[in-house]
Amino acid sequence: MSLFKWTDDLSVNIKEIDRQHKMLVDNINELWRAMKDGEAREVIGGILKGLVDYTKVHFTYEEDLMEKHGYPGLAHQKKTHQIFVQKVSDFEEKNKQGKFMLSIEVMNYLKEWLQKHILVTDKKYTAFFNEKGVN
């Protein structure tokens, strides 16, 4: 059983971004599975690193697309992206130091942040990009 299920209401109607969002959902679910299975800190650390790395790839893709097309919400997106990357990077670093405990609260934070970010912040750019022919 997964923590976070992709549903059509999460779609931003841009194929590549939807694909990347699904990958982020998969990463969160992989971390959930590792927590439930009681995986070692090293395994969880590898999954966290993968989440940090893929989040950076995704955010860079979004921000580049926004810059290319002159999206007016770029500065806000960059700020929210930086905050999330820093938070997940902090989880990863604390895990390396043995000072991190993956918990339901952490998992809910990851799920709820991504879900809210897609449904509230990212959904704002759907019409903008679709009008530019990006879909």
Side-chain angles (χ1 to χ4, degrees):
M1 184 172 164
S2 60
L3 173 71
F4 193 171
K5 185 173 174 21
W6 177 267
T7 56
D8 289 341
D9 66 317
L10 293 169
S11 174
V12 295
N13 201 32
I14 300 166
K15 288 178 190 160
E16 180 57 22
I17 293 177
D18 283 346
R19 185 191 70 74
Q20 291 179 14
H21 284 162
K22 288 175 187 177
M23 289 292 298
L24 290 168
V25 167
D26 289 347
N27 280 305
I28 290 170
N29 284 328
E30 179 64 14
L31 197 54
W32 170 252
R33 183 210 52 78
M35 184 192 80
K36 283 183 35 183
D37 292 350
E39 297 284 353
R41 184 175 348 138
E42 295 78 19
V43 172
I44 289 172
I47 297 168
L48 278 169
K49 180 175 179 2
L51 179 60
V52 169
D53 292 346
Y54 195 74
T55 299
K56 289 177 183 177
V57 167
H58 168 66
F59 289 162
T60 298
Y61 180 86
E62 269 189 347
E63 291 168 9
D64 288 350
L65 192 63
M66 291 174 187
E67 193 166 332
K68 176 182 175 184
H69 292 283
Y71 180 66
L74 175 60
H76 176 72
Q77 281 275 7
K78 280 187 173 184
K79 184 175 182 175
T80 60
H81 290 168
Q82 288 169 347
I83 291 167
F84 185 73
V85 168
Q86 185 59 55
K87 184 79 166 176
V88 179
S89 295
D90 288 347
F91 293 158
E92 180 189 14
E93 186 56 36
K94 286 178 182 174
N95 185 68
K96 285 180 189 174
Q97 297 170 1
K99 299 177 183 176
F100 178 74
M101 181 63 135
L102 191 56
S103 65
I104 290 173
E105 289 81 16
V106 169
M107 294 305 309
N108 282 333
Y109 167 80
L110 294 171
K111 174 191 172 197
E112 290 168 11
W113 188 94
L114 183 59
Q115 192 170 37
K116 181 180 175 189
H117 184 73
I118 292 170
L119 291 171
V120 176
T121 308
D122 287 354
K123 286 276 191 171
K124 289 179 182 174
Y125 62 57
T126 297
F128 177 86
F129 284 127
N130 289 170
E131 287 172 12
K132 302 276 186 188
V134 179
N135 49 35

